[in-house]
């Protein structure tokens, strides 16, 4: 599952979404809360339902026929941090989702980049139970982009002083994978919900 990382100005306001009446069939607004689920690690899983329509017309008739359908976007946030993860989708859907979150929770949302120290802290946290299978960074010494495959934790530690910025990393946790791009794009294996929630929870605490 792919996410885009955002920062919010008043994370405590996310609690307002808990009291929003969940909508399963309503089509009166562009977006609504379909599911609100608090996880044991403090992460909240929110599913937004976006109302859209297929507009269909024939070759001979100019009038459109409207067929309603729903589009769902997964959102994760931590009530004790300012980090928000919104499932990557078409631009128009993301705009509607962000606008709804800002209005319903009375928050301001901004796209967030991932800092160098976040990559380092996560890698150190995962040392011993993960492998770094791809590392892309800007070298202080050569001022060039460097790409490494299957980097050991020892080598990563030795390279830390040469990092100007880490651009991209992929970790492997046994059969699960997770990757982070400095632009704030996060990809997490969602074949097991427990792993997805744990990784996003730890990431939200380190940003």
């Amino acid at each position: 599952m792919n996410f885009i990382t955002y920062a919010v100005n008043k994370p405590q306001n996310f609690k307002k979404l808990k009291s929003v009446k969940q909508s399963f069939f309503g089509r009166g607004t562009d977006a609504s809360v379909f599911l609100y689920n608090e996880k044991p690690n403090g992460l909240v899983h929110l599913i937004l339902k976006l109302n859209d329509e297929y507009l269909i017309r024939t070759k001979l008739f100019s009038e459109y026929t409207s067929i309603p359908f729903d589009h769902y976007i997964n959102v994760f946030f931590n009530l004790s941090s300012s980090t928000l993860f919104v499932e990557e989708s078409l631009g128009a859907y993301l705009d509607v989702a962000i606008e709804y979150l800002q209005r319903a929770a009375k928050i301001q949302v901004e796209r967030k980049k991932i800092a160098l120290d976040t990559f380092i802290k996560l890698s150190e946290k995962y040392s011993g139970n993960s492998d770094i299978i791809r590392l892309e960074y800007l070298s202080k010494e050569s001022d060039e982009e460097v790409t490494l495959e299957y980097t050991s934790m020892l080598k990563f530690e030795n390279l830390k002083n040469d990092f100007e910025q880490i651009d991209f990393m992929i970790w492997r946790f046994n059969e699960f994978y997770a990757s982070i791009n400095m632009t704030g794009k996060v990809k997490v294996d969602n074949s097991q919900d427990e792993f997805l929630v744990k990784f996003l929870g730890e990431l939200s605490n380190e940003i």
Side-chain angles (χ1 to χ4, degrees):
M1 188 174 290
N2 299 332
F3 297 93
I4 298 177
T5 308
Y6 295 89
V8 301
N9 64 334
K10 297 178 181 178
Q12 67 275 12
N13 281 12
F14 275 131
K15 293 180 181 179
K16 295 179 183 293
L17 298 173
K18 187 175 184 179
S19 61
V20 174
K21 184 177 180 181
Q22 298 179 18
S23 173
F24 301 99
F25 305 106
R27 305 199 61 81
T29 59
D30 289 339
S32 56
V33 175
F34 182 78
L35 175 72
Y36 183 103
N37 184 22
E38 295 184 4
K39 301 295 184 178
N41 65 347
L43 208 65
V44 175
H45 179 204
L46 186 74
I47 299 179
L48 297 182
K49 180 167 74 71
L50 279 54
N51 298 329
D52 203 351
E53 297 178 349
Y54 289 110
L55 299 178
I56 302 173
R57 58 176 289 184
T58 69
K59 179 180 178 181
L60 298 179
F61 294 94
S62 60
E63 292 186 4
Y64 287 92
T65 298
S66 174
I67 302 176
F69 76 96
D70 298 323
H71 181 78
Y72 298 89
I73 289 185
N74 289 281
V75 177
F76 288 89
F77 55 85
N78 192 326
L79 291 172
S80 61
S81 80
S82 61
T83 305
L84 169 71
F85 302 104
V86 181
E87 184 180 3
E88 190 172 17
S89 187
L90 296 174
Y93 288 141
L94 276 175
D95 290 344
V96 171
I98 294 299
E99 192 280 330
Y100 173 79
L101 290 171
Q102 291 187 128
R103 184 179 70 250
K106 298 187 183 336
I107 56 175
Q108 293 297 315
V109 176
E110 293 184 0
R111 182 77 179 261
K112 186 176 181 65
K113 290 186 176 181
I114 308 300
L116 172 62
D117 64 334
T118 298
F119 286 100
I120 293 175
K121 286 188 291 186
L122 281 175
S123 297
E124 291 174 344
K125 179 187 287 289
Y126 301 147
S127 179
N129 60 12
S130 71
D131 300 306
I132 300 172
I133 63 173
R134 189 174 181 88
L135 169 64
E136 299 176 10
Y137 70 95
L138 177 63
S139 168
K140 287 181 181 178
E141 182 178 348
S142 65
D143 197 31
E144 295 180 351
E145 295 286 347
V146 179
T147 299
L148 299 174
E149 308 284 349
Y150 296 99
T151 305
S152 69
M153 197 60 212
L154 177 60
K155 185 172 183 178
F156 182 86
E157 286 290 328
N158 292 333
L159 286 170
K160 279 198 307 187
N161 291 332
D162 189 39
F163 293 148
E164 180 68 33
Q165 171 61 55
I166 293 179
D167 299 316
F168 180 71
M169 286 188 72
I170 303 177
W171 294 269
R172 180 180 64 193
F173 303 81
N174 295 321
E175 70 271 32
F176 302 117
Y177 291 83
S179 68
I180 301 176
N181 189 300
M182 68 166 290
T183 62
K185 290 190 176 183
V186 178
K187 185 174 183 179
V188 188
D189 189 329
N190 63 328
S191 59
Q192 186 187 85
D193 182 66
E194 182 180 350
F195 173 76
L196 173 68
V197 171
K198 181 179 179 181
F199 184 85
L200 291 181
E202 292 176 342
L203 176 57
S204 68
N205 287 325
E206 298 296 346
I207 293 178

